[in-house]
């Protein structure tokens, strides 16, 4: 019988026993509810070994790609090492600031030397440690590569301890600690013809830009629409970079959106949700990524779902002011 | 005899069923306010667990789960009309999935058996 390892403990599985049953049998306090592979309360992640296909049915592609599975319906064929999702973001590694440059009036770009052990996917987030102990999460706009530094976009939040420190004190050559990565908002290769909608406000552009470049780099052939919303035209950023990508890739369309005034050429004026509806009136079969203001994220997901997008194809890591996003809850 | 769960294709088909059912529920203004505050994906996962049970799939749902899960909605006025509306969406979802009428009746009977627990009576 296969062996299950969890948190230093080794359990010999009984015939026909699921991973969840084995954990409960030896006294591990594993959460569960439906025990039929539906509710996803018991979600775990393999650190080594292969989960069964059945135990990954119904999970989002991004969760599957990270080795998540449902232990309540997993009777493994071979040895497994499995952990709970919150065990992910424990690593903390030192790194060096390459530069801090303004992107607009209240968002700066921070580039960090990529530590060797920091393996991530474009669009995931890292945890930035303030010397005083506070930790904030920022999405990665960079692509994982040997030469490209980590890139995050930090918006100045009035009274925000970490963002004020980043804006006013952090500079080239400084040493900071980062943790992670975490998050399920990233490009999933394998279906290059699928259409993708990327919608974001403010610094929610960071993960979307990472996902966009990742998709284009991997030869995505389906349509990609990026809608970046701002209250005023000066709040948009990376406009030239995004416009250049839309010129060099005929399948990519960039729609800057400004609520209260006219934006650059080709931009949409009005509510971001209206831009979304106009650009993608029929999202059936589309993958939808929404990042930024939580209310906007919620509204876009709901609208796209009601208009025909599948729940499994909605991706987001909502940015929550003042606290890191809950890693396992999305 | 095959259950509805097996008939529509088991676990892989459940996602499509949940998409159809939940979209109907959220589009119905007489009941959608009960679903506004909750995270859409968590809510959908619960719908999936419920549909899996109602379709005769594997489940461990209990009446106590139903009672506890809906208590805060009962406090907000959840009543028979709302229950009937959701049951109606369940019926039309099954019809859209071309489930035969006799099996639809079975599923609705399972749903009906939860009425008193859902409404806290």
């Amino acid at each position: 019988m296969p062996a299950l390892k969890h948190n230093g403990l080794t359990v010999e599985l009984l015939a026909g026993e699921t991973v969840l049953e084995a954990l409960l049998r030896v006294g591990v306090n594993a959460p569960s509810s439906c025990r039929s592979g539906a509710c996803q309360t018991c979600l775990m992640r393999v650190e080594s070994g292969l989960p069964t296909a059945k135990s990954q049915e119904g999970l989002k592609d991004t969760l599957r790609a990270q080795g998540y599975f449902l232990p309540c319906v997993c009777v493994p064929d071979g040895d497994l090492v499995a952990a709970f999702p919150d065990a992910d973001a424990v690593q903390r590694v030192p790194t060096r600031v390459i530069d801090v440059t303004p992107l607009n009036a209240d968002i700066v770009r921070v580039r960090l030397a990529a530590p060797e052990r920091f393996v991530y996917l474009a669009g995931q987030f890292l945890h930035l440690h303030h010397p005083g102990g506070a930790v904030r999460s920022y999405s990665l706009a960079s692509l994982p590569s040997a030469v490209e530094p980590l890139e995050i976009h930090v918006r100045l939040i009035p009274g925000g301890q970490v963002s004020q420190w980043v804006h006013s004190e952090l500079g080239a050559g400084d040493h900071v600690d980062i943790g992670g990565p975490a998050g399920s908002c990233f490009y999933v290769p394998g279906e290059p013809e699928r259409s993708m909608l990327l919608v974001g406000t403010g610094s929610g552009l960071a993960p979307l830009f990472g996902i966009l470049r990742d998709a284009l780099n991997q030869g995505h052939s389906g349509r990609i629409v990026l809608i970046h919303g701002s209250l005023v035209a000066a709040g948009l950023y990376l406009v030239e970079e995004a416009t250049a990508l839309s010129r060099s890739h005929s399948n990519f369309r960039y729609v800057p959106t400004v609520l209260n005034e006219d934006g650059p050429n080709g931009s949409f004026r009005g509510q971001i949700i209206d831009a979304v509806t106009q650009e993608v009136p029929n999202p059936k079969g589309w993958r939808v990524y929404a990042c930024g203001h939580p209310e906007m994220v919620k509204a876009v997901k709901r609208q796209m779902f009601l208009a025909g997008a599948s729940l499994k194809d909605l991706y987001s890591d909502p940015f929550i002011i003042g606290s890191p996003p809950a890693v396992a809850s999305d | 005899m095959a259950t509805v769960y097996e008939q529509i294709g088991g676990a892989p088909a459940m996602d499509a069923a949940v998409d159809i059912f939940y979209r109907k529920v959220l589009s119905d203004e007489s009941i959608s306010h009960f679903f506004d505050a909750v995270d859409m994906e968590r809510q959908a996962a619960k719908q999936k667990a419920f549909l899996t049970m109602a379709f005769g799939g594997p489940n461990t749902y209990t009446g106590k789960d139903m009672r506890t899960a809906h208590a805060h909605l009962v406090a907000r006025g959840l009543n028979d009309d709302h229950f009937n509306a959701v049951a109606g969406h369940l019926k039309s979802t099954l019809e859209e999935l071309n489930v035969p009428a006799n099996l639809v009746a079975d599923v609705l009977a399972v749903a009906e058996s939860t009425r008193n627990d859902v409404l806290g009576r």
Side-chain angles (χ1 to χ4, degrees):
Chain A
M1 284 295 135
L4 168 69
K5 282 190 187 174
H6 168 70
N7 205 11
L9 195 73
T10 301
V11 188
E12 290 290 329
L13 286 157
L14 306 176
E17 191 175 41
T18 66
V19 170
L20 179 65
E21 286 164 346
L23 290 172
L24 295 172
R25 172 166 58 83
V26 297
V28 174
N29 186 19
S32 73
S33 179
C34 80
R35 302 201 186 175
S36 57
C39 75
Q40 303 187 8
T41 302
C42 63
L43 191 69
M44 292 184 85
R45 178 179 174 176
V46 287
E47 291 178 328
S48 94
L50 279 180
T52 58
K54 184 179 184 211
S55 69
Q56 293 191 304
E57 268 172 10
L59 292 184
K60 271 184 199 299
D61 291 341
T62 49
L63 288 177
R64 242 184 276 192
Q66 294 175 94
Y68 284 99
F69 73 106
L70 300 173
C72 72
V73 288
C74 185
V75 180
D77 309 317
D79 292 354
L80 277 190
V81 182
F84 292 114
D86 56 8
D88 288 347
V90 290
Q91 59 164 313
R92 178 171 170 166
V93 287
T95 183
R96 182 177 49 81
V97 177
I98 294 172
D99 55 19
V100 180
T101 47
L103 290 167
N104 66 20
D106 58 6
I107 299 174
V108 293
R109 178 182 72 183
V110 180
R111 295 195 303 163
L112 304 162
E116 220 169 88
R117 285 185 288 142
F118 196 81
V119 179
Y120 72 101
L121 294 160
Q124 286 193 298
F125 51 85
L126 57 71
H127 309 295
L128 183 65
H129 290 258
H130 181 271
V135 184
R136 296 289 180 273
S137 301
Y138 296 101
S139 293
L140 287 148
S142 46
L143 294 190
S145 88
V147 291
E148 188 163 321
L150 305 179
E151 174 178 331
I152 57 174
H153 301 164
V154 179
R155 182 167 71 93
L156 181 64
I157 294 166
Q161 184 193 10
V162 176
S163 68
Q164 285 187 354
W165 164 68
V166 169
H167 275 250
S168 58
E169 292 179 45
L170 207 62
D174 288 351
H175 289 270
V176 290
D177 281 1
I178 59 170
S184 302
C185 205
F186 53 79
Y187 179 65
V188 184
E191 291 178 286
E193 71 294 340
R194 287 278 294 275
S195 298
M196 293 167 56
L197 171 65
L198 313 172
V199 191
T201 53
S203 56
L205 180 62
L208 300 179
F209 216 73
I211 292 164
L212 166 67
R213 289 178 55 226
D214 198 13
L216 294 176
N217 252 22
Q218 299 203 39
H220 191 82
S221 57
R223 289 176 63 195
I224 306 175
V225 176
L226 168 64
I227 300 176
H228 184 215
S230 173
L231 298 177
V232 294
L236 297 170
Y237 66 92
L238 294 182
V239 176
E240 281 174 26
E241 290 84 347
T243 305
L245 286 174
S246 72
R247 292 212 178 100
S248 57
H249 297 83
S250 59
N251 59 328
F252 168 53
R253 178 166 160 73
Y254 168 54
V255 187
T257 298
V258 182
L259 179 63
N260 292 328
E261 57 187 22
D262 286 335
N265 262 350
S267 63
F268 182 95
R269 179 171 174 172
Q271 298 279 353
I272 193 164
I273 197 78
D274 295 329
V276 166
T277 307
Q278 177 177 303
E279 290 296 322
V280 187
N282 178 11
K284 192 171 164 58
W286 285 59
R287 286 202 165 113
V288 177
Y289 295 81
C291 301
H293 195 283
E295 286 304 313
M296 181 280 301
V297 168
K298 191 177 155 190
V300 166
K301 284 165 78 174
R302 184 182 171 116
Q303 170 120 345
M304 291 291 94
F305 172 62
L306 291 179
S310 177
L311 283 165
K312 268 176 75 179
D313 292 326
L314 305 177
Y315 301 93
S316 64
D317 281 324
F319 171 74
I320 297 160
I321 292 169
S323 66
V327 176
S329 69
D330 51 23
Chain B
M1 192 177 66
T3 61
V4 173
Y5 182 78
E6 290 155 359
Q7 177 125 1
I8 66 168
M14 288 307 295
D15 290 315
V18 173
D19 269 358
I20 296 170
F21 174 65
Y22 192 36
R23 196 172 282 129
K24 288 178 191 294
V25 168
L26 276 187
S27 304
D28 181 344
E29 285 180 10
S30 76
I31 49 175
S32 60
H33 59 284
F34 287 111
F35 299 88
D36 270 349
V38 292
D39 178 75
M40 210 163 76
E41 281 144 321
R42 280 167 180 265
Q43 181 68 41
K46 288 178 184 155
Q47 306 284 0
K48 187 174 167 186
F50 167 69
L51 291 189
T52 301
M53 176 203 70
F55 290 5
N59 81 91
T60 59
Y61 249 61
T62 65
K64 183 168 167 289
D65 295 332
M66 283 287 178
R67 198 167 275 271
T68 313
H70 293 88
H72 67 292
L73 298 178
V74 172
R76 284 171 52 198
L78 189 74
N79 63 32
D80 281 301
D81 290 341
H82 305 124
F83 187 95
N84 294 340
V86 173
H89 294 309
L90 180 57
K91 180 166 184 277
S92 56
T93 299
L94 291 164
E95 287 163 354
E96 240 172 81
L97 292 167
N98 296 315
V99 173
N102 59 325
L103 292 181
V104 173
D106 290 349
V107 171
L108 290 176
V110 174
E112 187 58 44
S113 73
T114 68
R115 182 185 291 262
N116 285 341
D117 284 320
V118 167
L119 296 178
R121 301 193 286 232

